[in-house]
Amino acid sequence: MTIDIWTWEQTFQELIQEAKPWATWTLKLDGNLQLDCPAQGWKQYQQRAFGWFRCSSCQRSWASAQVKILCHTCWNHWTSQGQVHVRVFGQRCQKCTWSQYEIPEFSSDSTTRILSNLVQHILEKYYRNGMRKSSEMPVIPEVPLDGSHDTANCEACTLGVCGQGLKSYMTKPSKSPLCHVNIRSSSPGVGVYIPNQAKNPLAGAKEAKGSQYEKSGPSDGSDPSVIFVIILLFVFIVVKCFTSE
């Protein structure tokens, strides 16, 4: 399956022109987008959608309400021109051993919902004057779905960018050099985001406590030099007593 980019562009233009007739925006698919790594001056937006998949090997089809969509947006204030790059993450067939990530297909209702949320994000981030922040249109499953999200065969989960509890948001460009590392995978143009693994604060506290204990040692007040002086003084007093007698 492939995304009907012509339909996406047409729907996107209708929605954005309805809200901002004088603005010029373009939309294109980009399979190289990476999470938390927008180019300088760009903003990031994420959402989920309901989509249909078909395995190119066995022709098996399935539906998912966890299709991850990543968008990077940029707007030039002086020319009133904006750009949107979109990456739609795929899923693999559960039945085939050597299956590839398949691109989903979206119904007209799902496409409208995706692009309406995108336009709402653009209006809130670039045209704030007098606008109230509105809630996102929720994902509506078009058929009953059984079971949990198949994270093992989800491209976004494999790359560490899915996060089932994650809501759409905008982030600033990351300064980490890992943003620009590309690793080849079964999906062309896939960028891999490797999050920093923070050290366990509890483990760090234990290590710090253990180090402090090893350095400080026992604190019972017994200093060998003091004890030696006391013994010498005691011997001196005893000898003095015997000699005086």
Side-chain angles (χ1 to χ4, degrees):
M1 290 184 178
T2 58
I3 295 176
D4 186 356
I5 186 61
W6 185 87
T7 301
W8 275 53
E9 289 178 344
Q10 185 181 36
T11 305
F12 174 73
Q13 291 300 331
E14 290 174 356
L15 293 171
I16 196 70
Q17 289 299 315
E18 182 180 353
K20 296 295 177 182
W22 63 87
T24 302
W25 282 82
T26 59
L27 182 146
K28 63 175 285 189
L29 296 179
D30 186 350
N32 294 317
L33 293 189
Q34 299 182 46
L35 181 70
D36 294 337
C37 294
Q40 185 175 4
W42 289 63
K43 296 180 180 180
Q44 177 173 288
Y45 172 69
Q46 303 175 67
Q47 63 173 308
R48 289 196 192 88
F50 180 92
W52 293 89
F53 295 87
R54 182 181 296 276
C55 178
S56 56
S57 299
C58 69
Q59 302 305 311
R60 170 180 171 267
S61 62
W62 69 95
S64 173
Q66 298 288 342
V67 180
K68 187 64 176 290
I69 299 174
L70 176 64
C71 303
H72 288 178
T73 60
C74 180
W75 183 61
N76 188 317
H77 174 76
W78 302 108
T79 62
S80 294
Q81 295 181 345
Q83 301 178 62
V84 180
H85 291 183
V86 180
R87 179 175 181 178
V88 179
F89 292 87
Q91 294 184 14
R92 291 183 301 202
C93 178
Q94 295 177 335
K95 307 299 181 182
C96 296
T97 305
W98 301 106
S99 59
Q100 65 180 13
Y101 288 113
E102 307 291 351
I103 300 300
E105 186 176 282
F106 301 98
S107 67
S108 58
D109 289 342
S110 187
T111 300
T112 301
R113 174 201 164 273
I114 295 168
L115 297 176
S116 294
N117 286 335
L118 173 60
V119 169
Q120 184 62 37
H121 163 80
I122 291 173
L123 295 177
E124 290 176 359
K125 299 304 176 184
Y126 300 107
Y127 308 96
R128 297 184 181 180
N129 296 339
M131 282 202 59
R132 286 188 310 173
K133 186 174 181 179
S134 60
S135 58
E136 217 180 52
M137 294 175 64
V139 179
I140 301 176
E142 298 172 7
V143 294
L145 299 175
D146 297 328
S148 58
H149 180 46
D150 184 10
T151 57
N153 291 301
C154 172
E155 183 182 22
C157 289
T158 302
L159 297 175
V161 301
C162 189
Q164 289 197 44
L166 193 63
K167 296 182 179 179
S168 58
Y169 62 98
M170 182 275 293
T171 59
K172 297 180 180 179
S174 172
K175 297 181 180 179
S176 172
L178 293 175
C179 290
H180 306 290
V181 176
N182 285 319
I183 299 176
R184 293 185 179 272
S185 70
S186 57
S187 179
V190 171
V192 177
Y193 168 68
I194 308 176
N196 294 327
Q197 295 181 352
K199 187 176 180 181
N200 187 335
L202 295 178
K206 291 181 180 180
E207 290 179 7
K209 184 177 180 181
S211 301
Q212 183 180 5
Y213 178 79
E214 291 174 1
K215 291 180 181 179
S216 61
S219 56
D220 57 0
S222 56
D223 190 338
S225 59
V226 176
I227 296 175
F228 181 73
V229 172
I230 294 175
I231 293 174
L232 286 180
L233 183 60
F234 177 78
V235 172
F236 175 79
I237 294 173
V238 171
V239 172
K240 186 69 173 177
C241 290
F242 277 108
T243 55
S244 60
E245 291 178 358

